[in-house]
Every structure is written in C-alpha cells, then in structure tokens.
C-alpha cells in the first residue's frame, strides 16, 4: 500500500504541475494545435475512466448491500448487476428532471459523515490493540514476488480521485487546487496506512474473508456494531463517488464534443458504457479495468507535463525525466494491471 500511495503521490505531482503550467500554456493555443488535441485526448480518456469507475463504485455498493441480505449464491451476480443497472438508470433519468445537481450536493454533504465513520473505525481498531497488547499475533505468511507487481498496479483505482482538481478551474484558483490536492493525498495516505497497520492482528482472518465486501466480516470481529458502521459508510461512500464520477464523465464528454452534445446525450453515452462494464465484469475485474483506464489518463498527463516543460522551459531535465518515468509506470499499469481476485 505504501508503494501504491507513493506512485499515486508521484502522479499527483504531475497533475499539480499541469494545473499551473499546462493550463497557462493552453490559454495561448489555437484550436488545432497538436498540444490542444493531446489535451482533448486526455479529457476523453478521463471521461471513459470515470464511466468505468462508476461501475466499480456501484458494484462495490451492491456487494456491501447484498452481503447483509441472505441470498442464494447462484443468483448473487445477476441480482448485483440488476441493482447497479437500476441505480444507473435512475441517475440517467435524473438528468431529464434537472434534479441531479441537488443529489450531487447531498452526496458532497456525506463527506463529513464518512470521515467521522473512518475516525470511529480507526479508534475502534486502536482500542482493540490497546486491550490485546499482550496477545501474540497469528499472521499469514507474506507473499511477495514479481507477480505482486501486476496486482499492485491493478489496484491503482483505490487511490484515485485527486485528478479531479485539474478540471475545477472555473470554481477554484490554481494555488487552492494545488494546495488542497496535496493535503488530500497526504491525509488519505495516512488513513490508508493507519487502517492497514491497525488491521494487522486480523490478517489471518482476512485470508478467509469472501468477496470485496469481506471487510464487514473482519470488522465484526472487533465489535458487532463496527460492521454496521462499515456498511453505512461504504454505501454512502460508493453512491456519492459514483454520482460525482457520473457527473464528471458527462461533463468531460460535453467538453470533448465542444458542446455539440447536450447534458442528456452526454449522460446517456457515459452511462451506457457504465452498464456495459457492469455486465461484462465481476467486482475484481472492474477494479483492475478502472485502474487501467485511469493509468492511461495519468500516462497522457505525464506526457503533457514533459511536453509543456520542454516547450516553456518550466522544469529541469531531471523533473522531465521524473515525469517520463511516471508515465512509463502508468503505461505498464494499463497493460498488465491484474484483478485482485486472481
């Protein structure tokens, strides 16, 4: 996880560089400048990545919801896909009623609740540590090899989200977006590492957890109420993230089409892709697919960073080499990122 977070932070450095230098350079470009076309390719890839990530978020939501409902295993996948499809259709219909913005604001309001739940989970795990300090740890053997690298790269989606700041220029200035993205990445990294560190005593039980919602079983070992908090937090988290990425995908498709597509048409295109991904992948496969989609976008952003740095002399040769290395790693992630389920 530390390696994954380091890669994400390196990509964040690229995006933050682009917020300042690519945006400033873009203001001087003509419509058919090759650099302007490269920027539009990046936007198009991000629109696709967001559509795929909506499938990822909603598949996770369905897994968490169905985990708490007794249901025949043989029908689990179909029921989950039907549930996700209904949610996507509902989001699409909301674009026709004009209510999507209202739901977006409600989704944003859940952030404080989610952070509170995360703090509660970390506190619960820390209390368990303190009360079982003398207990010996029964840990599973570490499995680290070259085959771990594709798995690591296939989990890139789990630390995605910071790139949104790149396209909020109409609402926030460059300095604010750069600063808040850096803080968000550092805070989320601390949460990830603290959670996994505190989860160490339960790693043996975690090897027997089933599915992507297996964390519910693990947290119930700490305290039964913890499973409820995880379920509530997961449902709100995945739904709000799906709404945000659905809006982001539709908005980017509108921009790429140079506003030839309306809001409704853009959302229809984005959500049609999402439904296709839902029915063609399982929960583990969609994680890897989402990671690959974002890796492609990050690779393009790294290429743009090198390009604008050479054009404007905004960065040193060493910085350009760093951007190129990040881009190369992202290309590898797009090619070989593997599903966590094997």
């Amino acid at each position: 996880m530390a390696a994954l977070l380091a890669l994400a932070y390196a990509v964040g450095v690229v995006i933050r560089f682009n917020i300042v230098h690519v945006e400033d350079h873009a203001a001087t470009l003509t419509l058919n400048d090759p650099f302007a076309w490269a920027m539009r390719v990046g936007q198009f890839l991000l629109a696709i990545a967001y559509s795929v990530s909506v499938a990822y978020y909603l598949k996770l939501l369905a897994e968490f919801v169905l985990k708490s409902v007794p249901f025949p295993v043989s029908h689990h996948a179909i029921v989950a896909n039907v549930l996700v499809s209904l949610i996507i259709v509902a989001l699409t219909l909301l674009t026709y009623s004009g209510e999507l913005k209202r739901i977006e604001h409600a989704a944003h309001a859940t952030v404080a609740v989610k952070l509170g739940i995360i703090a509660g989970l970390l506190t619960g795990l820390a209390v368990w540590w303190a009360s079982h300090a003398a207990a010996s740890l029964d840990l599973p053997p570490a499995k680290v090899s070259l085959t771990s690298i594709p798995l690591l790269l296939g989990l890139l989606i789990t630390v995605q989200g910071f790139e949104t700041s790149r396209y909020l220029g109409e609402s926030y200035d460059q300095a604010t977006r750069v600063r808040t993205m850096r803080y968000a990445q550092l805070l989320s990294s601390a949460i990830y590492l603290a959670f996994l560190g505190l989860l160490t005593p339960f790693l043996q039980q975690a090897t027997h957890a089933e599915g992507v919602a297996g964390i519910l079983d693990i947290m119930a070992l700490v305290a039964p109420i913890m499973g409820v908090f995880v379920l509530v937090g997961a449902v709100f988290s995945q739904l709000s993230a799906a709404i945000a990425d659905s809006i982001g995908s539709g908005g980017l498709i509108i921009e790429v089409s140079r506003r030839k597509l309306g809001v409704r048409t853009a959302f229809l295109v984005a959500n049609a892709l999402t439904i296709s991904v839902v029915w063609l992948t399982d929960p583990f496969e969609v994680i890897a697919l989402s990671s690959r989609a974002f890796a492609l976008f990050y690779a393009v952003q790294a290429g743009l960073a090198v390009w604008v740095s050479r054009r404007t002399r905004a960065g040193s040769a060493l910085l350009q080499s760093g951007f190129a290395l990040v881009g190369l790693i992202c290309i590898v992630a797009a090619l070989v990122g593997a599903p966590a389920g094997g």
Side-chain angles (χ1 to χ4, degrees):
M1 180 54 73
L4 191 60
L5 291 167
L7 172 60
Y9 193 83
V11 175
V13 172
V14 172
I15 302 295
R16 288 190 284 277
F17 179 87
N18 288 353
I19 284 176
V20 177
H21 299 286
V22 168
E23 288 182 7
D24 289 347
H25 185 59
T28 67
L29 300 177
T30 60
L31 181 64
N32 292 317
D33 187 289
F35 194 90
W37 276 104
M39 290 176 59
R40 287 194 283 273
V41 168
Q43 286 181 303
F44 179 69
L45 288 174
L46 184 58
I48 294 175
Y50 276 151
S51 290
V52 177
S53 71
V54 171
Y56 156 66
Y57 289 128
L58 293 180
K59 268 184 173 283
L60 286 185
L61 183 152
E63 290 297 318
F64 276 99
V65 170
L66 295 180
K67 182 80 173 178
S68 59
V69 178
F71 215 88
V73 177
S74 58
H75 296 85
H76 181 93
I78 294 178
V79 173
N81 288 346
V82 169
L83 175 61
V84 172
S85 300
L86 289 175
I87 294 174
I88 295 171
V89 169
L91 292 178
T92 305
L93 292 176
L94 284 170
T95 64
Y96 286 83
S97 68
E99 297 294 321
L100 194 60
K101 274 293 182 182
R102 188 177 301 173
I103 292 188
E104 178 188 6
H105 295 321
H108 292 170
T110 65
V111 172
V113 175
K114 290 183 290 186
L115 288 175
I117 290 174
I118 290 171
L121 294 177
L122 294 177
T123 301
L125 288 169
V127 169
W128 192 98
W129 264 97
S131 60
H132 295 78
S136 60
L137 296 180
D138 178 23
L139 300 180
K143 297 179 182 179
V144 180
S145 65
L146 290 177
T147 58
S148 301
I149 296 176
L151 174 60
L152 176 75
L153 297 176
L155 292 171
L156 184 61
I157 181 66
T158 61
V159 290
Q160 161 270 335
F162 50 88
E163 75 289 329
T164 306
S165 297
R166 171 74 175 79
Y167 298 100
L168 296 178
E170 292 185 3
S171 302
Y172 304 97
D173 59 58
Q174 291 176 345
T176 298
R177 285 180 286 149
V178 167
R179 184 179 65 256
T180 53
M181 188 206 298
R182 185 183 298 113
Y183 289 162
Q185 283 200 283
L186 292 173
L187 176 60
S188 61
S189 296
I191 290 172
Y192 271 115
L193 294 177
F195 180 74
L196 289 175
L198 292 171
L199 202 64
T200 300
F202 304 96
L203 291 182
Q204 184 63 50
Q205 292 95 323
T207 61
H208 304 294
E210 296 183 358
V212 293
I215 188 64
L216 290 175
D217 301 326
I218 300 169
M219 296 309 298
L221 296 173
V222 181
I225 192 66
M226 296 284 272
V228 177
F229 279 117
V230 172
L231 176 61
V232 174
V235 169
F236 275 100
S237 178
Q238 305 311 322
L239 183 58
S240 61
I243 292 172
D245 280 8
S246 179
I247 292 170
S249 179
L252 285 167
I253 288 175
I254 292 171
E255 290 298 319
V256 171
S257 71
R258 293 168 57 193
R259 301 193 176 277
K260 292 180 180 178
L261 294 180
V263 173
R264 296 171 180 174
T265 304
F267 271 88
L268 281 174
V269 172
N271 289 336
L273 174 60
T274 299
I275 290 179
S276 299
V277 172
V278 167
W279 285 94
L280 294 175
T281 62
D282 65 35
F284 288 110
E285 289 173 339
V286 77
I287 292 173
L289 182 61
S290 300
S291 295
R292 290 181 173 191
F294 276 99
L296 278 177
F297 167 73
Y298 294 150
V300 170
Q301 290 300 305
L304 289 174
V306 174
W307 195 349
V308 78
S309 180
R310 292 175 66 87
R311 268 196 178 191
T312 64
R313 303 181 186 277
S316 64
L318 181 61
L319 185 63
Q320 292 174 21
S321 298
F323 292 157
L325 178 60
V326 170
L328 179 61
I329 293 173
C330 289
I331 290 174
V332 172
L335 293 175
V336 305

